[in-house]
Amino acid sequence: MEQEKTLLDLAQEEQHRYSTPIVMGKLNGRYHDLQTPIRGRKAELVEMDTQPGWETYRRSVLFLLLTAVSELYPEAEVIAQFTANKGLFCEVCSPSWSLDVMRTKKIAERMKSIVKEDRPITKRTCLREEAIQLFKDAKQIAKANLIHSLQQDFVSIYTCGNYQDYFYGAMVPHTGLLDRFALDYEAPGVLLRTPDSTTDGQVRDYVPQPKLSRVLSDAKDWARILDCPYVTDLNRLNRMGQIGEVIRISEALQEKRIGQIADHIASHSHDLRLILIAGPSSSSKTSFAQRLRIQLRTNGLRPVSISLDDYFRNRKDTPRNEDGEYDYECLGALDTELFNQDMVKLLKGESVVLPRYNFLTGEREWDDSRTISLEEDQPVIIEGIHGLNEALSAAVPRRNKYKIYISALTQLNIDAHNRIPTTGARLLRRLVRDYQFRGSSAEKTLHQWSIVRAGEEKNIFPFQEEADIMFNSALLYEIGVLKRYARPLLERVPMESSTYTAAQQLLNYFQYVDDIEDKEVPNNSLLREFIGGSVFFQ
């Protein structure tokens, strides 16, 4: 019987047409590893030097790390935690020792030796019951529970040497491709750095981000408080009728943190006059600003909110991007000279007429009814993407500013080795919000996402460590709520659309997560900014 043609067979035929190794493929618009039979489906190949290619590369290097640790320290457990310091932070835990620099070097050396061996990374399909028993025997109970929850009879297991694992997403076909990585000791684990689509094939430089690392660690503490580190735990609590408690505790943890931020501002209110809030798309900046305003009121302050949007330059004076379109994302789109002039006057107690930007005419307007002045108990809250950039408010002394970075940093993982990317969670928020309140289809939002992400990399992420405090707006339960809204939108994306593959990737996450009703989500929740019913929005 003739053997079925696989994507790997096609890749070997077509590799000469590509400048970098082919690492996976697409069949009818869905990503698959190269070992997958084509079976008459429309086949496309994905090379390494693409965003999905580098994502496959990093997933495979993580598998390489897991293989090396299992061979050196069979008793140890590796938990992929979060992305920080331009790498993937993984805890390495053992009942008999603590990780140190020497063990980290030994693991890195074993990884390099496995690369030199150029071992095959093979995939086999087995019965779900067999996979469950395999991971129970390996004492990977969370993974066994995850596979038990899947609505399918067969699952795919990847093998490298004697190590076996279940992974969400494709792997490269052999370890010889995985020669670009760095492994740093970062207690209590390691930081795994790899190239990505912005580094021209080079390993990401190490960039210390202690504040981001701290808030990500706090996120894991919140998951532990709720006894819910993995999706299977969330599903279990949901099925047991305890999701209301999860929602209330999640909201209380956020409210407590907002209260602590407000308390700090109030206790230093003589100096902290300008509160600048910034963060990437769909981080709940607007709702957070409202919640912070209320907490400041409980501290006896009377904050005033000013919109950065009103400081847009007239449209004709707005810089253009490389495509010749107006670039409203860049700092130059704002009249920073006028903004600084107004802020300095306000903090001196002088009166200022605030501009109003007319988005229809593309021009600023002035109205005497918008004349304001500040008293000493009135800090100014400014929310906008450039808030952390010192160039925005350079004329205001640093001691008079309090910078808050807000982002949705997902606490919930699929299991110990499969993460839910923070960017994916934010994209779900944006999909739902833009459909609910801006009339945008999922297809339109998905198409715009790469542009949004490029703007974040340029205008937000480089400045996040400038923040005085970071706030995590992610709610542990939110993906189950967002699923109910996002799934029908994503299912409408047609196969012929250029965004079909991205839609299918998001839909694939939903196979692990049960629906969660939103009736117990309070009306001041940050999540309400996206699903509706918020007290802060009409």
Side-chain angles (χ1 to χ4, degrees), residues 195-362:
D196 61 36
S197 57
T198 67
T199 63
D200 196 28
Q202 302 302 308
V203 175
R204 271 274 196 177
D205 291 336
Y206 180 84
V207 180
Q209 295 176 307
K211 293 174 184 174
L212 180 62
S213 297
R214 197 174 308 124
V215 77
L216 286 164
S217 181
D218 289 344
K220 290 300 171 185
D221 289 340
W222 287 12
R224 280 191 282 270
I225 288 170
L226 287 157
D227 191 25
C228 196
Y230 302 124
V231 163
T232 48
D233 301 305
L234 182 67
N235 292 340
R236 171 178 51 81
L237 293 168
N238 191 18
R239 293 168 189 174
M240 292 171 63
Q242 297 179 15
I243 201 64
E245 184 80 351
V246 171
I247 291 172
R248 287 186 287 275
I249 295 172
S250 298
E251 296 288 344
L253 285 165
Q254 280 196 347
E255 189 64 25
K256 182 177 181 179
R257 189 68 175 132
I258 296 170
Q260 290 168 342
I261 294 171
D263 290 346
H264 176 84
I265 294 169
S267 65
H268 299 81
S269 60
H270 179 73
D271 287 326
L272 303 181
R273 304 301 311 283
L274 198 62
I275 302 164
L276 297 149
I277 302 169
S281 173
S282 305
S283 292
S284 304
K285 295 184 291 292
T286 306
S287 293
F288 171 83
Q290 292 291 339
R291 293 263 292 268
L292 180 63
R293 181 183 61 82
I294 292 169
Q295 285 287 349
L296 290 171
R297 290 295 303 271
T298 68
N299 277 277
L301 299 179
R302 297 182 296 132
V304 173
S305 297
I306 293 177
S307 173
L308 269 182
D309 286 356
D310 287 324
Y311 283 89
F312 273 133
R313 297 184 184 277
N314 291 336
R315 188 172 294 150
K316 63 182 177 64
D317 300 320
T318 302
R320 294 177 183 266
N321 60 24
E322 56 271 18
D323 297 324
E325 298 174 348
Y326 291 117
D327 186 358
Y328 294 106
E329 299 283 303
C330 71
L331 183 62
L334 297 172
D335 188 341
T336 54
E337 183 178 352
L338 177 63
F339 176 77
N340 277 270
Q341 177 183 306
D342 285 355
M343 294 306 106
V344 168
K345 285 182 178 179
L346 284 172
L347 298 188
K348 285 181 177 178
E350 299 176 20
S351 296
V352 166
V353 179
L354 296 176
R356 177 186 282 114
Y357 188 78
N358 187 322
F359 283 90
L360 293 177
T361 65

Side-chain angles (χ1 to χ4, degrees), residues 34-130:
L34 292 176
Q35 299 169 61
T36 307
I38 296 175
R39 293 176 182 164
R41 291 171 286 186
K42 179 186 177 184
E44 301 170 72
L45 298 172
V46 179
E47 66 178 314
M48 186 183 293
D49 196 17
T50 60
Q51 183 174 335
W54 286 121
E55 288 172 0
T56 298
Y57 186 89
R58 182 162 76 167
R59 185 185 307 114
S60 302
V61 174
L62 173 60
F63 188 45
L64 176 67
L65 168 66
L66 295 166
T67 302
V69 171
S70 73
E71 293 179 357
L72 289 170
Y73 309 110
E75 76 285 4
E77 180 184 15
V78 179
I79 304 172
Q81 292 279 29
F82 44 72
T83 300
N85 302 343
K86 300 304 182 183
L88 177 63
F89 174 73
C90 303
E91 281 191 52
V92 182
C93 312
S94 168
S96 56
W97 48 261
S98 296
L99 190 69
D100 56 22
V101 174
M102 292 306 296
R103 283 194 175 92
T104 301
K105 287 182 178 178
K106 194 172 179 181
I107 293 168
E109 288 168 2
R110 177 57 67 93
M111 292 171 70
K112 290 174 184 176
S113 70
I114 295 171
V115 171
K116 286 182 180 178
E117 291 174 33
D118 197 17
R119 294 184 193 174
I121 297 176
T122 59
K123 182 182 75 172
R124 68 182 179 92
T125 301
C126 65
L127 288 167
R128 186 176 61 161
E129 290 73 18
E130 180 187 343

Side-chain angles (χ1 to χ4, degrees), residues 396-411:
V396 178
R398 185 63 177 88
R399 70 178 183 278
N400 296 138
K401 293 180 283 196
Y402 192 67
K403 298 182 179 182
I404 303 172
Y405 176 75
I406 176 171
S407 189
L409 304 166
T410 312
Q411 308 105 310

